[in-house]
Structure formats: structure tokens, C-alpha cells
Amino acid sequence: MVHQHGDEAHIPDEHKVHRVGAWLPADHRVQHDWLAKHIEHLDNNPPQPLSKPVQEFKEFIEGNTRIYMYFQQMWEEVPMKKPYYQDPTGKKQIRSYEQMLALLNRIFTQAPHWNDTAYGVGMVGVPLCSIFDYVMSTPSGHAAFLDPDVNKMLKKILNEWGKFLQTPESAVALSTETTGWFSDHGRKDLMEVANAPLQTNHSFEELFICDPKAKHHGYKSWDDFFTRQFREGVRPVASLDDDNVIANACESTPYNLARNSSLRAQFWVKGQPYSILDMLAHDPLSAQFDQATVYQAFLSALSYHRWHSPVSGKIVRAFVQDGTYFSEPLFTHTNTSSESSPETTASSLYSINASGLSQSQSYLTNLATRAVIFIQADNPAIGLLAFVGVGMDEVSTCEITVRQGQHISKGDQLGMFHFGGSTHCVLFRKDVQVTGFPEIKADGSKKQNVPVRSKLAVVKNGGRS
């Protein structure tokens, strides 16, 4: 049985895709099966009227020549060969923006479920990313998902879905049925992720605030479940009285540690360096972080999604910067494969990165919708610090729960991600001698989460040289 965070050893190599954060199944057949079921439903039922935001999206596409060209061509640029051309059931992949709109219209009436297939049980945690999976990396898709007007429309659609995920109707996905989050496999994977950092064996009820006697464990909506909180004491604050100890801001897997990061860099190149000015949304305080140390970690689909302060100090500035939702770098190369056929179009000479947004995390820190919070630490050895919560994929809301001028203690809540993939960065200014970060492994999937509010790093001997 295929699980989102389980052993991938039994997945054939040709069907295995490494997904950072596991927001889409490691076995791509599970994702294809999920999409095929939705397409089959649309094919076998009368067309439904488009909801208001999807209808607006349709009118926007058809009323703008540039956008119409993008959304026509992106589907044509998907290579006409395996694995792009057909899914395991033999049905065609999405081939037009009209079909895309019909799928969006259907999905926005549902909360994410687990998918029970012949290949096992997996979780398509980001359904829009599943729909856009291949076209995001085509030349026209790359252009479209960078376009400010396209992103304004996507924000409208995602906000509408976000409203649905806060309704009681969305809690249907929290059932004990095979496709529910409290099913045997759903609960198993949730607890595997929650227990792993401290090597405990607690139940869901012991770790998270809930009412096990109530329907859906007392969660009123999907979003209520997604933003669930740990019980008091489950994640204690590291060295609360020692300001030289930095606390981990998010329950997350280490992704990268970069020192001497440039204020401005070409983040769209394959190396994906950090571009501090862009990451911090050109805020006037950005200049203080030239040559900064940047620690980045990503949150898994089954993890805890609230942010906590790495230090005690004063909130200097806090804002959400609107950005892209499905942009990824266009890392393509000429395909010289002998598998080309007469059906192959010129545009399919590009090889699509099937790992999608998950492999573009540094790039996304500069472009995706993100929350930026500057904190003046009480510890003068640290001084001004920056936290950036990056909304990936479906995230339409990065919610900040602190305000400018507020004094917070280490470990206090800063905000949260609402539904979707996510990553975050903590930035230290040049010459802050901060060491002891978690090990960064090349294969992030083999490294477990670092507990939120646990020790992330230590400032050495007064911090600044």
C-alpha cells in the first residue's frame, strides 16, 4: 500500500517521483488515477454551470489576447509521449483550458481527500498543482504563471476555495472512511509525521487539541483541522531563558543553509541562489541583510502549520506580499530521446521537470505569496532578524497574527499557513555568528522534521564580530 510518508521501496522506479514535502503522491500513478476519476465524472455527466470566480477566469482568458495565447499553447506544449500523453488508465491528460476550467469548477466544491487506487492509498494534497503539474514547466505555462494579471485571477479563485474550506461542508473529508483523514492509513501517516521528531508513540488525541468524542474530532471545517494546534507541553520552547538559543519557527524539514547571500541575485538560474532584496519584497529594511545567513526548511503535507518566533523581541514590521502561486523556474533542455514520434510537436523538445514546484523552493522565496516579519531581538548579538513564510501551490492565505510594535517571547505564535504547500526562511544579518543548524541532506525526503520551538541554532560569544 502506498502511503504519503511511508516506505517508497515498493514503488517501481518508472512510477516514482521525489516530492519535497509529499504534497503529491510519490507514486505518480496515484495522482493520475485521482485526475482520471475527476475527468471521467465530467465526461459522463452533463456540464455544470461555472461558479462565479471560474466564470470570471474563463472570461479573463478569452478576453485577453496575450492570456488566451498562453492558455491555448501551454496544453499543446506538453510532450505527446509517456508519461505526459496518457495516464495509467489509458485516458488522455488535460488538453485544453476549457477542460481545466471544468475541473477547477468541480474541485472547488470538495475538500482534499485521500485517494484509494489499485496502486495503494495516496494523498493529492494540492489538487490545482496536480492539474497544472506539467503545463507549469512549459514555456507558455511559465509565462502565464508569472503574469501579474493571471495571479490576480488565481488569487480570486483560491480565496473562494479557501472560503469553502472554512465551511462545515468541508469537514466531510475528516471521516473514518477509506478516503477520510481519520481513516486507518490517514491516522497512521499523520501520527508517523507528528511522532517522528521526538521519537514518541503518542496518539492523535494526545498530541493535538481536539474532542475525540465529537464528530470530526471537534474540527468545524477542513481549515480548522489543517491549522490544528499541539496540546500544551507537546512542543516546549528550547532554553526559554537563554537568548543565545534560536528556536525553530516551523515544524519542518531542513532544506538549505546559505551564508553570505547577496542582496540581489539571479534567482531564476538553475543554481537558485537567494536574492535577499526580492525575498524581503524590497522593504527598506532589506539593505541590512546583505550577505545574510539564510536557513530554509519546508513543511510536509501532514505536519503542523503554525509559525512561532525564533527569538524574544519586538515586531518591527509584518506584512503579506502578494506574488505568484504556480510559477516555477523553466529548467528545460533539448530532448534527444529516441522516443520521439510523428506526434511530437516542436515544443515537446523541452523536457518537463516532473518534480514541479517542490524542487523550486529557493526560487519561490523571491516570487511566491509570502509573509515577511522583521523582529528586533532582545539579544543585541542578534539584532534585527527576518522570518519569511512562503505560500506554495494552493496557499492563498498566509495569516500573520502579530502586529507591529508588539513584544513577543521566544516560541510565541507569529501566524500560520492556510491550506497548501509551504516553506519558510529565517534570515540573520552579516557577521551574526550563528551555528549548530540541523544537518542539511541532499535528499530531504530522508530527513525528518525538526520539532517546532526546539533548538534551531546558537549564537556564539556575543554574536557579531
Side-chain angles (χ1 to χ4, degrees):
M1 181 171 289
V2 178
H3 284 300
Q4 198 65 13
H5 287 263
D7 185 6
E8 298 178 8
H10 301 298
I11 304 174
D13 288 343
E14 66 269 24
H15 299 303
K16 187 185 298 184
V17 179
H18 173 49
R19 309 281 196 178
V20 174
W23 290 90
L24 291 173
D27 188 336
H28 76 77
R29 294 173 298 176
V30 176
Q31 176 187 352
H32 283 272
D33 184 89
W34 172 89
L35 193 56
K37 288 177 180 176
H38 284 290
I39 292 174
E40 183 179 7
H41 177 88
L42 294 174
D43 289 343
N44 295 332
N45 290 275
Q48 297 297 306
L50 298 181
S51 64
K52 183 178 178 180
V54 178
Q55 178 63 33
E56 287 182 8
F57 196 16
K58 181 177 186 293
E59 294 169 359
F60 166 70
I61 292 172
E62 296 177 348
N64 184 305
T65 303
R66 181 185 80 258
I67 304 302
Y68 181 70
M69 179 180 68
Y70 290 157
F71 278 87
Q72 280 281 6
Q73 291 187 172
M74 67 171 67
W75 307 103
E76 297 172 3
E77 290 168 359
V78 175
M80 298 288 282
K81 62 177 185 176
K82 292 182 179 180
Y84 316 107
Y85 181 51
Q86 291 182 328
D87 69 20
T89 66
K91 293 186 180 297
K92 274 190 172 184
Q93 289 281 341
I94 306 167
R95 284 290 155 181
S96 69
Y97 76 84
E98 293 94 344
Q99 191 178 26
M100 172 201 77
L101 292 169
L103 283 165
L104 292 178
N105 200 54
R106 173 170 168 73
I107 286 169
F108 284 167
T109 63
Q110 305 175 11
H113 287 73
W114 289 77
N115 192 38
D116 191 5
T117 75
Y119 317 105
V121 180
M123 189 260 297
V124 179
V126 279
L128 269 74
C129 196
S130 185
I131 291 173
F132 299 143
D133 198 14
Y134 294 143
V135 295
M136 286 188 294
S137 289
T138 64
S140 292
H142 177 70
F145 293 119
L146 274 177
D147 192 285
D149 293 333
V150 170
N151 279 289
K152 286 178 183 177
M153 290 304 304
L154 288 172
K155 181 178 181 179
K156 283 186 178 182
I157 288 179
L158 291 169
N159 283 345
E160 195 68 23
W161 192 40
K163 291 178 184 176
F164 170 76
L165 294 177
Q166 294 178 343
T167 66
E169 290 78 12
S170 67
V172 171
L174 306 178
S175 72
T176 57
E177 298 175 2
T178 306
T179 58
W181 285 83
F182 287 110
S183 61
D184 289 343
H185 59 265
R187 183 186 287 265
K188 175 182 178 294
D189 283 5
L190 283 166
M191 298 324 299
E192 180 181 308
V193 171
N195 279 309
L198 297 179
Q199 298 182 342
T200 55
N201 191 30
H202 294 302
S203 67
F204 184 92
E205 294 77 11
E206 290 172 324
L207 288 183
F208 295 103
I209 297 174
C210 64
D211 182 358
K213 296 180 180 179
K215 187 177 183 180
H216 306 314
H217 278 58
Y219 295 112
K220 304 303 182 186
S221 66
W222 164 261
D223 185 75
D224 192 26
F225 165 76
F226 185 77
T227 58
R228 61 192 177 275
Q229 300 183 63
F230 282 118
R231 292 192 183 276
E232 186 66 31
V234 169
R235 294 293 190 263
V237 181
S239 306
L240 189 56
D241 297 326
D242 186 350
D243 284 345
N244 287 323
V245 175
I246 309 296
N248 188 33
C250 298
E251 185 108 345
S252 51
T253 302
Y255 178 78
N256 194 25
L257 177 65
R259 298 188 185 273
N260 303 312
S261 297
S262 298
L263 191 61
R264 203 79 192 273
Q266 294 184 13
F267 58 83
W268 54 89
V269 299
K270 196 162 186 175
Q272 296 183 57
Y274 295 109
S275 182
I276 302 302
L277 185 64
D278 297 291
M279 185 190 301
L280 299 180
H282 292 244
D283 189 274
L285 294 175
S286 301
Q288 296 191 38
F289 289 88
D290 189 18
Q291 303 302 304
T293 294
V294 181
Y295 170 78
Q296 183 175 4
F298 61 87
L299 287 73
S300 81
L302 305 179
S303 195
Y304 172 84
H305 285 87
R306 293 173 183 254
W307 328 319
H308 294 261
S309 181
V311 296
S312 295
K314 180 181 178 181
I315 304 297
V316 177
R317 187 145 41 242
F319 60 92
V320 173
Q321 176 66 32
D322 285 340
T324 63
Y325 295 96
F326 297 98
S327 177
E328 63 179 52
L330 189 60
F331 300 151
T332 57
H333 59 274
T334 301
N335 181 8
T336 57
S337 170
S338 60
E339 296 179 16
S340 299
S341 71
E343 293 179 302
T344 303
T345 63
S347 59
S348 69
L349 293 176
Y350 291 92
S351 175
I352 290 176
N353 175 8
S355 297
L357 293 178
S358 61
Q359 301 297 341
S360 309
Q361 300 217 4
S362 299
Y363 169 89
L364 291 171
T365 64
N366 303 285
L367 284 175
T369 296
R370 56 206 182 274
V372 180
I373 303 175
F374 293 97
I375 305 171
Q376 183 68 38
D378 290 345
N379 186 348
I382 299 171
L384 190 67
L385 170 146
F387 167 88
V388 182
V390 184
M392 297 163 51
D393 305 350
E394 337 292 67
V395 173
S396 57
T397 304
C398 297
E399 181 184 359
I400 296 172
T401 57
V402 291
R403 65 186 185 278
Q404 185 172 322
Q406 178 182 349
H407 187 275
I408 54 173
S409 297
K410 181 167 61 174
D412 285 353
Q413 181 176 293
L414 294 174
M416 70 194 80
F417 291 116
H418 291 271
F419 184 61
S422 38
T423 186
H424 82 285
C425 296
V426 181
L427 290 77
F428 301 87
R429 292 182 299 168
K430 181 183 178 181
D431 298 332
V432 174
Q433 298 180 28
V434 58
T435 62
F437 288 98
E439 180 184 3
I440 308 291
K441 291 190 176 182
D443 184 356
S445 66
K446 305 303 180 185
K447 178 71 176 177
Q448 67 188 27
N449 283 341
V450 176
V452 65
R453 308 208 301 180
S454 67
K455 185 176 76 171
L456 176 68
V458 177
V459 177
K460 291 178 58 179
N461 302 324
R464 296 178 72 88
S465 60

